[in-house]
Amino acid sequence: MQDPAGLYRQRLTEREATAATLQAREQRLANLRLITALAGVAMAWPAIAGGWGALLLVPFLAFVGLVIAHDRVIRRRVTAERAVALYRQGIGRVSHQWAGSGEQGERYRDAEHPYSEDLDLFGRGSLYERLCQARTRSGQDCLAGWLLAPADTPTVAERQAAVRDLTPRLDLRETLVLSAGELQTGADTARLVAWGAAPTALRDRWPLAAAYLLGALALAALAAGSSGFGWLPLLVVLVLEGLLAVRTGGPVRTVLQGAEAAGRDLALLGRLLAPLEWEAFESSLLLRLQEELSCGGRLPSEALLRLERLLGWMDVMRNGVFGTLAWLLQLHIPLAYAAEGWRREHGPSIAAWLEITGQIEALSSLGAYAFENPRDPYPELTKGEPRLEVTGVAHPLLPREKAVPNDVSLGADLRLLVVSGSNMSGKSTLLRSLGINCVLAQAGAPVRAEQLLMTPLQVGSSLRIRDDLEAGVSHFYAEIRRLRTLVELTGETELTGEAEASEGAERQPNRQSDDKRPPLLFLLDEILHGTNSHDRRIGAEAVLAALVLRGAIGLVTTHDLALTEIVLSEDLKASNIHFQDDLQEGTMHFDYHLRAGVVRKSNALALMRAVGLPVDLPTNASVTGPSSREER
């Protein structure tokens, strides 16, 4: 079995050495630039005075060459430093020291989503942060979308094959991440698409011809002036160039600014796509995406490389010395026309390029996760009645050595498991483990289990309900609204009242929704614990019956042992399981192993005594009668 941490450490050492070498080379080129510039300044007056001004082209061209070489070395050094950071993060993920170091996906958080908040999909230390290696906005959006909505069985099978294909391709996955370059996280892909589809801004061709003519005249006037023939011709050319700038400056400046703003991100896209166009993939999904990239016979990386070269000239023109000469030669106008021509030819393809890049980045993220967890298997999705059979399930965000695996089986004969146990015994963690592994399974990723077999299921949970004081929503009301949502997910799209919902359940107890959503896997933690035990028992049994009769399967946890008696209802097809604990020398010990049946003891009073709370009543106290407040 491969050693991800060992491979990451080896590559980290190599990338650190490369970064150090490039940093030294960068410093040497910076020194040469300075020496060349000083030499040019020193030569300027003697050359002009002696009539040999053309000789100044030698230090000038040498300086331009050094600027280009220096910029390339800087980019390579920055890339090497990103590689160092990449493998340090990889080592952190493998050693479970990654929380807070990656993309957390806060913008995807949605308190109304059926399971997102309960299963910690987004935020610090979330599943998304653990998975995400995407650097483009489209890749991040794609991965988030896969986590928020289960895919159908054929799509999952395609993704699994693609993830298997990408898992051993460490070089390719490194290239995809490092190709992000200077792209800022959250780049506005909508802006890039809009720029590519905008109407043509430079329609007339005469400004381009005028720029070429004035540039040639300026060069001739400059040579004449430096050879002793006077500077009047150059002054005339400058006046004409000023008039041209007044006439065309606005549109040209707008085109250059737009191309530069969009081009930075699109240059990254070219570096992302270049290795993908020639990679020898094996999976059908990756081969199809690769074919879509080259649709029309033109490779997008070649087109984007042309745009990146245009951006390079824009950078050079900002240099103080060359920028002045470039303006004198009117090079900014041909550059604007070249950028506009590129946008007119390739702009409509940007949306498709971004979409394909996003899918491949999302698949690469899952491939990195599979590489770093070689013991995790791929789940098997099957057809038929709602079913979830998992052996050795554990939470993927917990260290492997600390997570205690358990077995859970739900299907046609057993549709509901009632989980009892004391505080901190592992009930909520079990529910989250099942939910998050189902999310991974239906996104196309491996799962933290020994084996997982399931039919397509939509997850719905009520694990972390919060009240809202500002909106006047109590915890209990927030919970029953969530339960209503879960019932609606089973197929009842509108529940306007108790009688109406009950009538609908009697008419079509197993009805599926028109949009063919998969059956519900519900995960309910301490259902209706915000009300009294009498109402809780009746309400909980009614809600669970409604879910089960509508074709759902799931688990519910409880501290109230009275709720464990609902398994006696034959319609529910339910069974009890529990976690247990031991109090040893004032300390609670948990083994986190599931057992059949109902838990037979509680640790609440023992825990209170262990921390020093006075829980033993005085001998003359009574807890059976009404309180003095009630009497008053």
Side-chain angles (χ1 to χ4, degrees), residues 102-117:
E103 174 61 33
Q104 298 176 15
E106 289 285 349
R107 61 182 174 273
Y108 306 113
R109 299 188 74 161
D110 179 7
E112 300 301 317
H113 190 270
Y115 59 81
S116 172
E117 289 295 289

Side-chain angles (χ1 to χ4, degrees), residues 22-37:
L22 290 171
Q23 189 172 19
R25 188 178 303 172
E26 177 186 343
Q27 186 59 51
R28 288 196 298 270
L29 286 172
N31 293 337
L32 285 174
R33 281 180 58 176
L34 178 61
I35 292 171
T36 303

Side-chain angles (χ1 to χ4, degrees), residues 195-196 198-203 205 298 336-349:
W195 175 78
T200 302
L202 296 175
R203 297 183 180 275
R205 304 297 294 178
R298 295 177 298 181
Y337 273 86
E340 187 71 350
W342 187 98
R343 188 182 65 81
R344 187 169 51 251
E345 180 181 1
H346 301 289
S349 300

Side-chain angles (χ1 to χ4, degrees), residues 400-517:
R400 191 182 296 272
E401 62 277 7
K402 294 182 179 180
V404 177
N406 282 290
D407 302 343
V408 172
S409 180
L410 291 168
D413 297 329
L414 181 60
R415 307 185 72 88
L416 170 65
L417 287 172
V418 182
V419 190
S420 56
S422 59
N423 298 291
M424 303 184 299
S425 61
K427 302 189 302 299
S428 299
T429 300
L430 173 67
L431 268 57
R432 288 190 172 91
S433 298
L434 290 170
I436 202 168
N437 277 290
C438 286
V439 170
L440 282 171
Q442 295 180 108
V447 294
R448 182 61 51 84
E450 296 175 12
Q451 186 177 10
L452 190 150
L453 172 67
M454 64 181 294
T455 56
L457 296 169
Q458 55 178 336
V459 179
S461 61
S462 177
L463 305 175
R464 188 180 286 142
I465 300 298
R466 296 183 178 91
D467 54 13
D468 188 340
L469 297 179
E470 184 175 345
V473 177
S474 69
H475 181 283
F476 178 72
Y477 188 69
E479 182 181 8
I480 62 175
R481 287 200 311 183
R482 171 54 64 89
L483 293 175
R484 172 194 170 107
T485 298
L486 299 188
V487 173
E488 289 174 347
L489 287 175
T490 62
E492 289 290 340
T493 56
E494 291 187 12
L495 297 177
T496 57
E498 179 181 352
E500 195 172 315
S502 176
E503 182 183 358
E506 292 175 2
R507 285 197 310 267
Q508 294 178 315
N510 293 304
R511 183 170 68 90
Q512 293 299 317
S513 63
D514 294 335
D515 60 0
K516 300 185 184 302
R517 289 178 298 195

Side-chain angles (χ1 to χ4, degrees), residues 138-161:
S138 56
Q140 294 168 1
D141 289 348
C142 182
L143 179 61
W146 290 359
L147 298 180
L148 290 170
D152 57 33
T153 300
T155 301
V156 170
E158 270 197 329
R159 289 180 191 170
Q160 286 182 353

Side-chain angles (χ1 to χ4, degrees), residues 146 151-166 282-289 292 359 363 366 378 381 441-445:
W146 290 359
D152 57 33
T153 300
T155 301
V156 170
E158 270 197 329
R159 289 180 191 170
Q160 286 182 353
V163 172
R164 285 190 176 98
D165 197 354
L166 287 168
E282 298 177 0
S283 75
S284 60
L285 176 56
L286 289 171
L287 288 172
R288 185 170 68 250
L289 293 174
E292 291 174 1
Q359 291 187 55
L363 291 168
L366 299 184
Y378 287 87
L381 267 67
Q442 295 180 108

